[in-house]
Amino acid sequence: MTELAAGFSDAIRNALAVLPEKPGVYLMHDATGKVIYVGKAVVLKNRVRSYFRNLASHTPKVKAMVAKIAEIETIVTSSEVEALILECNLIKKYRPRYNISLKDDKTYPYLKVTVNEEFPRLFVTRRQSRDGAKYYGPYADAGAMHATVKLLRSMFPLRTCRKMNPDRPCLNYHIKRCLAPCAGYVGRAEYQQMIRSVCMVLDGRTTELERDLKQRMQEAADNYAFEEAARLRDQLQAVMRLNESQKAVTNNGGDMDVFGFAQDMTGACVQIFFVRKGRLIGRDNFFLQNEGDEPGEIMTAFVKQYYNEATFIPREIVLPYLPDADEQQLIELWLAERAEHRVELLKPQRGVKRELLKLAADNAVKLLDERLRKGSLSLKNDEQAAEELQRALGMTQPLERMDCFDISHTQGSETVASMVVFRNGSISKKDYRKYKIVSAEGKPDDFKSMQEVVYRRYKDYEDLPSLVVIDGGKGQLSSALEVLHGLGLDDLHVVGLAKREEEIFKPHQSESILLDRDSAALHLIQRIRDEAHRFAITYHRKLRGKRNLVSVLDHVEGIGPKRRQELWKAFKTLDAMRAASVEELAQVESMNHAAAQTLYDFFRLELPEKQAALQ
């Protein structure tokens, strides 16, 4: 057996020496303890040791990963299927750096039907739990998902309220969007029948639903329940329209998922076609990060992660690349256990399924091309604007980073400053900073405020920008330059931007720079100025809102810190609190009727001290 390659630590060698000869999962940790890779193995000893032998034969990605491994952790399982399930769950939990990522750090939504409730609801959620409800998804196309919800609610008058009010039905009942189970206007059996219809639509069983609705409509008409028959007729017509819009692609009426795959330098894309009862009912797409992984490896990892969360598993899964025979058998066994029916992974060579596979692949290529084109165009435009601004300012240094400062206050109170950052012409929100100004609090002094924020930002000389933009004219620019001179940063490029004529002021130049109204350079500097203003005023309003709320409630007898906190939590704004009734105020936690009446009266009395607090 080939010896281990040289250069590995004693900790690694000791861990490899005691690896079990059993199936299980292994976790690779880096020097900080972070999990960087999760894998499964039929025999842990053989699989894990293979990473540390014959390094020259490994892919660049594996070489980079092995170089960072500082600790190896193993978990023994009773079977290969159990190892596969655990691997999927650990990848979902840790999102390791070197594993192929299904969701690309996004959380896709699901449709949830609360069949565990007496009168179920349909709504969107981003979290699955074992609560007895039915979940459909995940949906990568949120727009299509919301369109589905809208269609279903127009077809079936489901309740939408979280808590049913037995006193009287809500507005949805009066506009025929709910059957008002809260008021007892519909029985549980009839409502459950409607929920079964909803689930049939989400399952793609529209042909079966058509037959069911026709039969129930005829029975209602035979029993002279014409209003019920008319409602079923409307549902039937909506289902028939939906059925007509779904393309029939196979004659056998089966269920299958068809996976198209494309890969380029930016990543990979998987396009999934959902075929239910022989009809193409929808599609989804996922963009994946990869670093030179083989297409077959990516597809195998994707299939495992996707069906670890999918709520429906068809009998046939059509793939462009199949796993090796042992892995395929293992995945099919695992999926069959989850789906409670036989599941087959296949790669068709001819016929309708082959055509569907090609169509899905063509769509995946198209999506990758669109993403690459949009990304490159956006990047190109931003970089071109930065280059144009650099030339307009007469600078030789590229505008790799621009900092822009703005001040916001109300007559000197709650003075704040913002700093936003653009890198190569594009927003860099991770570098944004906000400051609560202390030197000019209580009196409006933009010059002093600007000096404070510039000093606090550059006193430690960290990550100096190519250009500093000061939102203001010559006065604000002079204030900033004075501080920078004191810090020894005279070489830093600084400009001021006046709002009225969009004039750009440079230090020691009497004439301002006026850029062409249609130039990309002007649009860029306007964008960074507007973004700084938005960021500053948002922070200022937040502080002002909290101050106003506390100052007003400080004048109300019987409203202490706890009640102030609960009132803010319940009403969010002072206007909402002022508009509330005594009963609504009394329902807030820690409030009682006497305190609610006092607060209600306070908002309606014209007292001098109250008016002062409300300013």
Side-chain angles (χ1 to χ4, degrees):
M1 186 173 289
T2 308
E3 292 298 323
L4 296 180
F8 293 111
S9 66
D10 291 339
I12 293 292
R13 293 179 177 275
N14 292 337
L16 296 177
V18 295
L19 288 170
E21 297 187 36
K22 293 181 178 181
V25 173
Y26 54 92
L27 296 87
M28 307 297 199
H29 299 258
D30 63 11
T32 66
K34 184 178 180 180
V35 177
I36 59 174
Y37 188 77
V38 174
K40 67 167 180 60
V42 178
V43 179
L44 283 168
K45 180 177 180 180
N46 297 343
R47 182 72 185 97
V48 176
R49 288 175 69 89
S50 69
Y51 286 99
F52 301 90
R53 294 194 184 97
N54 195 16
L55 294 181
S57 65
H58 291 329
T59 64
K61 171 186 171 182
V62 174
K63 290 179 183 177
M65 181 190 77
V66 171
K68 293 183 178 180
I69 297 174
E71 180 185 351
I72 303 169
E73 178 185 358
T74 60
I75 303 173
V76 175
T77 60
S78 58
S79 68
E80 296 174 42
V81 173
E82 187 179 325
L84 188 151
I85 296 170
L86 182 58
E87 177 197 30
C88 292
N89 290 332
L90 290 175
I91 290 174
K92 179 181 177 181
K93 177 180 179 180
Y94 291 112
R95 296 288 176 195
R97 168 71 176 82
Y98 290 97
N99 281 98
I100 295 164
S101 175
L102 162 61
K103 291 189 177 179
D104 199 18
D105 295 329
K106 296 188 289 294
T107 304
Y108 289 108
Y110 294 82
L111 290 183
K112 179 177 181 179
V113 182
T114 57
V115 294
N116 51 320
E117 296 179 340
E118 185 177 9
F119 294 98
R121 296 170 292 142
L122 167 70
F123 57 89
V124 177
T125 183
R126 291 184 180 269
R127 179 177 299 176
Q128 278 187 285
S129 58
R130 298 181 180 275
D131 55 3
K134 278 191 174 183
Y135 293 86
Y136 296 89
Y139 292 89
D141 187 346
M145 179 202 62
H146 286 294
T148 300
V149 173
K150 185 177 180 180
L151 173 64
L152 288 171
R153 286 180 175 163
S154 67
M155 292 165 59
F156 306 103
L158 303 171
R159 78 176 181 95
T160 57
C161 51
R162 291 187 179 183
K163 295 181 180 180
M164 295 195 298
N165 181 6
D167 297 334
R168 58 184 176 85
C170 65
L171 178 62
N172 281 335
Y173 169 74
H174 297 289
I175 62 175
K176 301 187 184 304
R177 287 297 181 91
C178 179
L179 297 180
C182 56
Y185 291 176
V186 62
R188 186 173 186 274
E190 182 182 350
Y191 193 92
Q192 288 290 341
Q193 180 65 57
M194 185 169 60
I195 288 296
R196 282 192 290 273
S197 298
V198 170
C199 293
M200 289 171 76
V201 172
L202 292 173
D203 286 333
R205 296 155 53 197
T206 52
T207 304
E208 183 180 342
L209 179 57
E210 273 189 45
R211 291 196 300 267
D212 180 62
L213 289 173
K214 286 178 181 178
Q215 180 182 346
R216 289 165 54 201
M217 181 181 68
Q218 188 60 50
E219 290 174 357
D222 292 343
N223 294 326
Y224 303 104
F226 297 117
E227 187 174 341
E228 172 67 9
R231 187 170 65 83
L232 292 170
R233 177 205 61 203
D234 293 341
Q235 292 178 5
L236 174 60
Q237 290 174 349
V239 172
M240 290 174 67
R241 287 193 298 270
L242 177 63
N243 210 3
E244 289 171 359
S245 67
Q246 295 171 347
K247 179 182 178 183
V249 292
T250 64
N251 296 323
N252 61 7
D255 296 337
M256 62 178 164
D257 289 347
V258 182
F259 288 72
F261 178 82
Q263 185 178 16
D264 65 12
M265 67 187 75
T266 66
C269 176
V270 176
Q271 173 87 61
I272 312 175
F273 284 171
F274 304 113
V275 179
R276 303 292 180 262
K277 305 302 178 184
R279 293 181 175 273
L280 179 60
I281 67 166
R283 64 181 184 174
D284 241 339
N285 61 77
F286 297 83
F287 290 100
L288 312 174
Q289 299 294 331
N290 73 88
E291 297 179 3
D293 299 286
E294 292 297 322
E297 181 185 351
I298 296 174
M299 280 306 310
T300 299
F302 179 86
V303 167
K304 290 190 292 186
Q305 292 184 53
Y306 179 80
Y307 286 111
N308 189 49
E309 298 189 19
T311 55
F312 178 81
I313 302 174
R315 294 183 180 276
E316 293 184 334
I317 298 173
V318 181
L319 299 171
Y321 305 95
L322 290 175
D324 61 61
D326 291 339
E327 183 84 352
Q328 179 177 344
Q329 185 178 8
L330 178 62
I331 293 174
E332 288 177 343
L333 177 61
W334 166 58
L335 293 177
E337 289 183 359
R338 290 204 66 224
E340 299 181 351
H341 59 68
R342 185 173 178 271
V343 178
E344 180 184 6
L345 306 183
L346 63 141
K347 179 184 178 182
Q349 301 301 319
R350 63 185 65 85
V352 174
K353 294 174 185 177
R354 176 65 182 177
E355 292 175 6
L356 275 175
L357 188 62
K358 183 179 183 305
L359 182 62
D362 290 344
N363 276 270
V365 171
K366 176 176 172 289
L367 287 168
L368 267 185
D369 288 344
E370 288 177 354
R371 187 173 77 157
L372 179 61
R373 185 167 62 254
K374 289 177 181 177
S376 63
L377 283 175
S378 174
L379 181 62
K380 184 178 179 181
N381 290 339
D382 289 342
E383 290 179 345
Q384 285 179 339
E387 291 173 1
E388 186 177 322
L389 180 60
Q390 173 196 336
R391 291 193 298 270
L393 297 178
M395 296 174 56
T396 57
Q397 178 185 3
L399 296 181
E400 295 178 353
R401 170 174 174 145
M402 294 191 292
D403 292 356
C404 182
F405 296 90
D406 188 28
I407 306 295
S408 182
H409 58 80
T410 300
Q411 296 180 345
S413 64
E414 302 296 349
T415 303
V416 300
S418 68
M419 182 194 75
V420 302
V421 177
F422 277 39
R423 291 186 181 271
N424 296 314
S426 301
I427 286 175
S428 180
K429 287 196 174 183
K430 68 178 182 179
D431 296 311
Y432 283 19
R433 297 292 182 270
K434 53 191 178 184
Y435 303 84
K436 191 172 182 180
I437 301 299
V438 296
S439 60
E441 186 58 33
K443 56 184 182 301
D445 191 336
D446 287 357
F447 301 151
K448 194 170 186 179
S449 300
M450 186 63 70
Q451 287 183 324
E452 178 182 334
V453 68
V454 170
Y455 174 78
R456 289 167 63 180
R457 163 65 180 92
Y458 298 115
K459 63 180 179 180
D460 297 322
Y461 293 80
E462 291 183 1
D463 196 9
L464 293 178
S466 312
L467 177 68
V468 178
V469 180
I470 303 297
D471 185 16
K474 293 182 177 180
Q476 285 89 338
L477 176 61
S478 299
S479 300
L481 289 172
E482 185 179 338
V483 171
L484 293 173
H485 176 72
L487 293 172
L489 297 176
D490 295 294
D491 293 335
L492 205 58
H493 291 278
V494 188
V495 297
L497 179 62
K499 292 183 176 67
R500 180 174 298 178
E501 298 294 336
E502 307 290 3
E503 295 176 278
I504 299 176
F505 294 99
K506 294 187 68 175
H508 317 302
Q509 288 188 10
S510 58
E511 295 294 326
S512 63
I513 299 174
L514 290 174
L515 299 176
D516 189 332
R517 288 290 174 185
D518 296 325
S519 68
L522 178 62
H523 293 163
L524 173 60
I525 206 164
Q526 286 173 332
R527 277 178 60 209
I528 193 170
R529 188 269 315 279
D530 292 345
E531 181 68 2
H533 180 67
R534 179 201 63 79
F535 193 47
I537 202 167
T538 299
Y539 183 40
H540 169 68
R541 284 171 176 168
K542 179 180 178 182
L543 295 181
R544 187 182 64 190
K546 289 184 177 180
R547 175 183 61 82
N548 286 347
L549 179 67
V550 173
S551 63
V552 169
L553 299 186
D554 276 345
H555 292 73
V556 184
E557 185 178 354
I559 305 296
K562 175 65 174 176
R563 285 177 173 170
R564 283 201 301 269
Q565 181 180 0
E566 295 299 332
L567 286 165
W568 168 248
K569 187 187 301 183
F571 294 101
K572 310 299 182 188
T573 67
L574 196 62
D575 288 338
M577 198 182 305
R578 185 187 289 111
S581 65
V582 175
E583 290 71 20
E584 289 171 330
L585 293 169
Q587 289 176 1
V588 175
E589 187 176 345
S590 82
M591 289 286 286
N592 55 35
H593 192 274
Q597 186 66 56
T598 301
L599 181 57
Y600 182 85
D601 293 341
F602 175 82
F603 281 125
R604 284 150 185 82
L605 291 176
E606 299 300 327
L607 300 177
E609 60 269 24
K610 189 194 79 167
Q611 294 301 320
L614 289 171
Q615 296 301 316

